[in-house]
Amino acid sequence: MATSSAQITPTVGILSIGDMGMGVARLLRHHDHTVYTVAKGRSQHTLDRISSSQITTLESDEQLVAEADIILSIVPPRDAIATARRALEACRSQTAIKRRSERRGTAAVSQAPSLTYIDLNAISPKTARSIAAMFSTPMSPASPRRLSISRTFSFHPRRESEPELDPIPIDFLDGGIIGAPPSLKQDHTWKKPSVVISGPKHADLLTPAFIDLLNMRILGPKIGTASALKSCFASLTKGMTALSILSFTTAHTCGVLKELQAHLQEFSPQLLAFAQGGLVSMPPKAYRWVEEMRQINETFAEEGGFTTAVLSSNGNGSGSGSGNGHGQGNDHDHPHHRHQSPSSAIVPSNGKHGAGVFEGIAEVYNLVAYDTILGGERVERRKRGTNPEDVAECVRDGIARKKRKLAGEESELEAAWRSSWGA
């Protein structure tokens, strides 16, 4: 039987090191946890941040599953399933199995200690359950050919006399992060987000000290509960920011933005502060939020019952919504968006949730990320959208350019300018 991955000071692997992953890694390192990540393919800027934070870089996913007691998946929602598959494939590696057994001192090498995998991504309960099902399906050792086709895995040939070893077992926990990345305050205490967790055996897999360090809130033994809470929370915060984009941009176009702000200040100052703060912080994250909104859409349909048929005025699912669950357009690609366009995002296989409210909100963020200059912004290097007025102006200009493009009127100069946004 595989042993529990809960240790007094567990080693932690993080996939991947973005802003949230970096904050979590720094918190863990500050409290003497060894933190690993796979740095292959990352930008020099990210590599420098990893080095300055004393995070140990590994060459492959095989090494990560061999060395880490716990893996935290913190990636854009569109990459959640692909990242889980990476870990699953790596756990079939004969080299990884041997190394994990040696490191943990397991008597029988064929019974490598289990790995705890915590998905902390903004996904729907349905997607979380699909990942759990993937991990719970009995695995067989991977063939040399299968491992050799992946750019992230290395393969070490097995001698004919060596028996094939059982894959590393994976214990899965559903999770979500609510709040900003962990940060060290001036008084040397940490400001932490809430990390919500659900799933079976959590008491065996996570020590009280680890739960306290990451400010984890345990919601129960059911996979999907944590993802549901995350979706419901984000629908209000990021949904409100999307409404602010619509409201402020339209007010700016109509020449009444100052008047809108003045009236909000008089009648709803808290709403004004929230709206303006959300607008300014949103641009570098808009590309991540496209798929997150679709996952929220699926959550409301699958868990809340707000299906297309229920929301349709005639009850037959033929309402006015025209979304199909797929992102439209990826007119420019820059390093911040990495390798995938919105069209490769996770979508419901039956397409029945495409016309929901949050599919429309997904398209708002899709517009910001891929059709405005704001899509090229990074958290650590801001140029545009640093105040709500400029956000509204950038979105207004992006809409105007997209309209010209759709009408076939975009000039070669504009096209060249747009292509340079991510430079």
Side-chain angles (χ1 to χ4, degrees):
M1 180 180 295
T3 61
S4 168
S5 62
Q7 302 293 305
I8 295 175
T9 307
T11 59
V12 181
I14 298 181
L15 293 172
S16 61
I17 300 293
D19 292 310
M20 182 63 75
M22 183 64 69
V24 172
R26 285 172 174 162
L27 172 62
L28 290 166
R29 286 293 302 125
H30 187 83
H31 292 84
D32 299 324
H33 286 262
T34 299
V35 178
Y36 298 105
T37 194
V38 177
K40 187 174 182 179
R42 303 309 301 265
S43 68
Q44 188 59 50
H45 173 76
T46 299
L47 294 176
D48 291 342
R49 294 176 75 194
I50 290 172
S51 177
S52 66
S53 301
Q54 298 181 312
I55 300 167
T56 302
T57 59
L58 300 175
E59 292 297 320
S60 70
D61 296 331
E62 287 181 9
Q63 293 179 0
L64 187 70
V65 301
E67 301 297 335
D69 298 312
I70 298 171
I71 288 181
L72 305 179
S73 174
I74 310 175
V75 298
R78 66 189 181 193
D79 299 330
I81 289 179
T83 302
R85 285 185 180 136
R86 283 173 54 187
L88 186 65
E89 291 295 330
C91 285
R92 292 187 172 104
S93 162
Q94 299 292 292
T95 302
I97 296 165
K98 291 178 182 178
R99 169 58 186 157
R100 188 172 183 82
S101 296
E102 292 168 358
R103 185 178 67 83
R104 296 288 296 276
T106 307
V109 74
S110 63
Q111 298 175 348
S114 63
L115 169 70
T116 298
Y117 185 99
I118 308 177
D119 189 293
L120 294 176
N121 304 305
I123 56 177
S124 70
K126 181 178 179 181
T127 301
R129 289 191 291 267
S130 71
I131 295 174
M134 183 195 313
F135 286 151
S136 64
T137 301
M139 295 186 292
S140 59
S143 66
R145 181 178 180 182
R146 185 166 191 178
L147 283 176
S148 65
I149 63 175
S150 172
R151 69 179 181 85
T152 57
F153 305 142
S154 60
F155 175 73
H156 303 275
R158 178 177 58 85
R159 296 185 182 91
E160 289 299 324
S161 59
E162 294 180 350
E164 288 191 340
L165 307 175
D166 293 336
I168 299 167
I170 300 174
D171 292 308
F172 177 73
L173 292 175
D174 176 32
I177 302 175
I178 297 176
S183 59
L184 186 62
K185 297 187 290 187
Q186 289 186 346
D187 63 0
H188 300 292
T189 62
W190 282 83
K191 181 180 179 181
K192 306 176 187 178
S194 172
V195 178
V196 293
I197 297 291
S198 66
K201 300 195 299 182
H202 54 76
D204 297 327
L205 302 174
L206 303 172
T207 65
F210 192 76
I211 291 171
D212 181 66
L213 175 59
L214 290 188
N215 194 29
M216 290 180 166
R217 318 285 179 89
I218 307 299
L219 304 181
K222 185 178 178 182
I223 296 295
T225 304
S227 288
L229 175 58
K230 167 66 176 177
S231 289
C232 292
F233 186 96
S235 71
L236 296 175
T237 55
K238 293 163 187 173
M240 185 63 220
T241 297
L243 295 179
S244 301
I245 295 170
L246 299 174
S247 175
F248 276 56
T249 301
T250 302
H252 181 69
T253 302
C254 295
V256 294
L257 179 54
K258 288 184 179 179
E259 288 75 9
L260 172 64
Q261 291 170 307
H263 279 75
L264 285 170
Q265 181 62 50
E266 180 178 357
F267 295 103
S268 188
Q270 289 183 325
L271 178 58
L272 174 64
F274 184 91
Q276 295 193 145
L279 286 171
V280 171
S281 64
M282 167 274 304
K285 298 173 277 191
Y287 81 103
R288 296 175 63 103
W289 292 357
V290 177
E291 178 56 26
E292 182 173 350
M293 298 304 103
R294 295 192 176 116
Q295 293 290 303
I296 290 172
N297 206 50
E298 183 170 86
T299 299
F300 288 164
E302 291 284 345
E303 314 302 321
F306 294 97
T307 63
T308 301
V310 168
L311 294 175
S312 172
S313 59
N314 57 18
N316 63 8
S318 59
S320 59
S322 59
N324 60 6
H326 294 272
Q328 300 298 321
N330 184 16
D331 298 325
H332 68 282
D333 189 17
H334 51 73
H336 200 51
H337 296 157
R338 306 244 148 62
H339 307 294
Q340 289 183 292
S341 68
S343 60
S344 63
I346 307 167
V347 294
S349 59
N350 56 18
K352 69 180 179 179
H353 308 321
V357 172
F358 273 81
E359 176 59 30
I361 290 179
E363 294 302 331
V364 172
Y365 287 123
N366 192 70
L367 171 74
V368 172
Y370 298 98
D371 290 293
T372 81
I373 198 170
L374 296 172
E377 292 295 299
R378 297 191 181 196
V379 171
E380 68 277 2
R381 191 183 65 195
R382 297 298 303 274
K383 296 179 180 179
R384 298 298 304 272
T386 57
N387 59 67
E389 296 80 12
D390 193 46
V391 171
E393 182 175 336
C394 291
V395 176
R396 181 201 63 181
D397 292 347
I399 290 171
R401 280 191 296 272
K402 186 166 186 179
K403 285 182 176 179
R404 291 196 296 272
K405 179 186 176 184
L406 293 173
E409 298 173 0
E410 183 177 51
S411 68
E412 292 183 6
L413 182 61
E414 272 189 319
W417 178 69
R418 283 160 53 79
S419 68
S420 68
W421 287 351

